[in-house]
Amino acid sequence: MLHGDGGLRLWIIPRYADVRAALSDPRFAQDARRAQALADSRVEGVNMGTDITHMLSSDPPDHTRLRRVVQAAFSRKRVEAMRPMVERITLELLDGLDAAAARHTTRTTTAAVDLVRDFAFPLPILVVCELLGFPPEDRDLYRKWSTTIVTQEGDHAAFRRAVQEMGAYVLAIADRRIRRDERPADLLTELLAARERGELTDDEIVGMVALLLIGGHETTVNLLSTSCLALLREPGQAAWLRADPTRMPGAVEEFLRYDSPICMATTRFTTEPVDVGGVVIPQDEFVLLSLGAANRDPARFQDPDRLILDRRDAGHLAFGGGIHRCLGALLGKLETEIALTALLARFPGTTLACQEGDLRWRNTMMLRGLEALPVTLHR
């Protein structure tokens, strides 16, 4: 148990079995409006995310309705159909890395590139842009909003400003499509059709797009950067993967377990007293489920602090569980498999271009990811 900003008490559940059970337990609710009322009754100035209406801040029946609108877009068949698009974007980005390194390399020095800025970030955001039909040239704007929303937990003014700017942007694109009668085959068109059927409001469209823009790239950015760092630490495991690329899907599952890109699930609250491992959490208490700790629980995983790429145990909780399990899990894994396979093949001798202790990590309790990953590329 701990006290968060402003004195709000939080309970943390770290053990695998308890986290897995809680993820599917309806007594741990996520409705943001009820959570905000509960927080307001105790302390002032705590933001429980009521500025954005989306699936992660909703419970059934609203959650069921919202998820139903978009779940078909992330089916196994639809995600697999995105493979050529992800491969194309990946190769274009690798060509860009190649060109950038060549421009700044001399006879005596080899230039470093930032794998987060130049590869791990643009790949998933460009995929999301194609999925939604959004202008890829605005990707830095999406990144700015996303970073503000996920890292400025205490700066409510900055949080609300980012939400308002994103909302105005989304609705402007939607309005422009309607005025021009444009209906391309993308997810935004499907969301607008759902609004016409009375299934979504404007606020819910904004919330859905915000969730896809943020969740659709943050997880993959973090997963790609921490996976690359892990392979730079252990070149023998990188060589093992290069020798047989069919090993990559299993390796990605281990990367997800070893360094969970979402290390803390979104805040829940108890609707009645709940016994968790012999400890009773009273009703109306806020609870955090530590996905990162659960994935390193020695009671569940043998030698959990070692990266074992052929572990062959996909029981991690990196994508959550229950009704709120990450909708884009299949797409995130596809992107990571394609990206790492291509990166290892193109630049097999890549090395870290700084001391590992100098690397900077994202300033957020929920996410586990690097701010930058400077490397020296070698073919």
Side-chain angles (χ1 to χ4, degrees), residues 198-264:
E199 297 174 7
L200 290 177
T201 66
D202 279 356
D203 285 346
E204 288 168 343
I205 287 179
V206 169
M208 192 76 74
V209 171
L211 185 61
L212 294 171
L213 277 175
I214 297 171
H217 88 271
E218 285 286 358
T219 300
T220 308
V221 172
N222 296 336
L223 177 58
L224 272 174
S225 62
T226 56
S227 300
C228 288
L229 177 60
L231 293 174
L232 290 169
R233 288 194 196 111
E234 302 192 35
Q237 297 221 45
W240 180 80
L241 277 177
R242 275 196 306 275
D244 185 356
T246 65
R247 296 166 173 165
M248 187 61 76
V252 169
E253 300 292 352
E254 174 66 353
F255 288 130
L256 283 160
R257 183 206 66 82
Y258 181 74
D259 233 341
S260 305
I262 302 173
C263 53
M264 197 76 72

Side-chain angles (χ1 to χ4, degrees), residues 236-310:
Q237 297 221 45
W240 180 80
L241 277 177
R242 275 196 306 275
D244 185 356
T246 65
R247 296 166 173 165
M248 187 61 76
V252 169
E253 300 292 352
E254 174 66 353
F255 288 130
L256 283 160
R257 183 206 66 82
Y258 181 74
D259 233 341
S260 305
I262 302 173
C263 53
M264 197 76 72
T266 48
T267 308
R268 288 154 164 81
F269 62 95
T270 52
T271 58
E272 60 181 84
V274 183
D275 186 319
V276 179
V279 176
V280 176
I281 302 178
Q283 180 176 336
D284 294 337
E285 291 289 320
F286 289 103
V287 178
L288 292 173
L289 309 181
S290 181
L291 306 179
N295 287 337
R296 294 284 189 102
D297 185 349
R300 172 60 180 82
F301 297 101
Q302 185 176 4
D303 206 358
D305 294 330
R306 277 188 61 215
L307 180 72
I308 305 173
L309 295 184
D310 60 347

Side-chain angles (χ1 to χ4, degrees), residues 3 29 44 125 161 173 225 231 247 251 281 294 328 352 357 362 370:
H3 287 79
E44 292 183 2
I125 201 67
R161 186 164 55 251
I173 290 179
S225 62
L231 293 174
R247 296 166 173 165
I281 302 178
L352 191 61
R362 304 290 299 280
L370 290 160

Side-chain angles (χ1 to χ4, degrees), residues 329-342:
L330 290 175
L331 179 56
K333 288 193 286 189
L334 177 74
E335 291 169 337
T336 305
E337 291 166 16
I338 291 171
L340 289 179
T341 300

Side-chain angles (χ1 to χ4, degrees), residues 34-255:
R34 292 168 62 196
Q36 189 67 61
L38 182 58
D40 289 344
S41 70
R42 298 183 179 175
V43 295
E44 292 183 2
V46 175
N47 183 1
M48 301 305 296
T50 54
D51 302 85
I52 311 178
T53 303
H54 54 70
M55 293 179 290
L56 288 183
S57 64
S58 306
D59 289 322
D62 284 340
H63 172 271
T64 308
R65 172 178 57 83
L66 293 171
R67 192 174 179 105
R68 186 185 300 121
V69 171
V70 293
Q71 64 184 2
F74 296 94
S75 68
R76 188 172 297 276
K77 182 178 180 180
R78 292 273 291 268
V79 168
E80 186 58 34
M82 298 181 204
R83 181 179 292 274
M85 179 257 288
V86 176
E87 291 174 339
R88 170 178 55 79
I89 292 173
T90 297
L91 293 177
E92 289 172 355
L93 291 172
L94 290 178
D95 288 345
L97 287 177
D98 227 347
R103 282 196 303 271
H104 298 98
T105 297
T106 68
R107 290 182 179 179
T108 57
T109 62
T110 303
V113 299
D114 179 1
L115 275 185
V116 173
R117 182 193 63 207
D118 300 326
F119 188 64
F121 160 63
L123 172 59
I125 201 67
L126 288 172
V127 171
V128 171
C129 285
E130 293 219 16
L131 184 65
L132 285 167
F134 275 25
E137 59 270 21
D138 288 342
R139 65 193 190 198
D140 289 334
L141 191 58
Y142 311 146
R143 180 66 163 173
K144 184 191 78 169
W145 289 329
S146 177
T147 298
T148 300
I149 290 169
V150 301
T151 64
Q152 301 298 320
E153 288 109 339
D155 190 341
H156 299 158
F159 179 93
R160 291 194 174 100
R161 186 164 55 251
V163 171
Q164 290 168 358
E165 290 176 2
M166 182 181 286
Y169 178 93
V170 171
L171 292 178
I173 290 179
D175 181 64
R176 187 159 59 246
R177 285 199 182 182
I178 291 169
R179 285 188 287 105
R180 297 176 180 175
D181 195 24
E182 296 175 344
R183 294 181 180 269
D186 56 42
L187 189 51
L188 181 58
T189 293
E190 294 181 29
L191 295 178
L192 294 176
R195 184 178 66 176
E196 291 175 3
R197 296 191 300 268
E199 297 174 7
L200 290 177
T201 66
D202 279 356
D203 285 346
E204 288 168 343
I205 287 179
V206 169
M208 192 76 74
V209 171
L211 185 61
L212 294 171
L213 277 175
I214 297 171
H217 88 271
E218 285 286 358
T219 300
T220 308
V221 172
N222 296 336
L223 177 58
L224 272 174
S225 62
T226 56
S227 300
C228 288
L229 177 60
L231 293 174
L232 290 169
R233 288 194 196 111
E234 302 192 35
Q237 297 221 45
W240 180 80
L241 277 177
R242 275 196 306 275
D244 185 356
T246 65
R247 296 166 173 165
M248 187 61 76
V252 169
E253 300 292 352
E254 174 66 353
F255 288 130

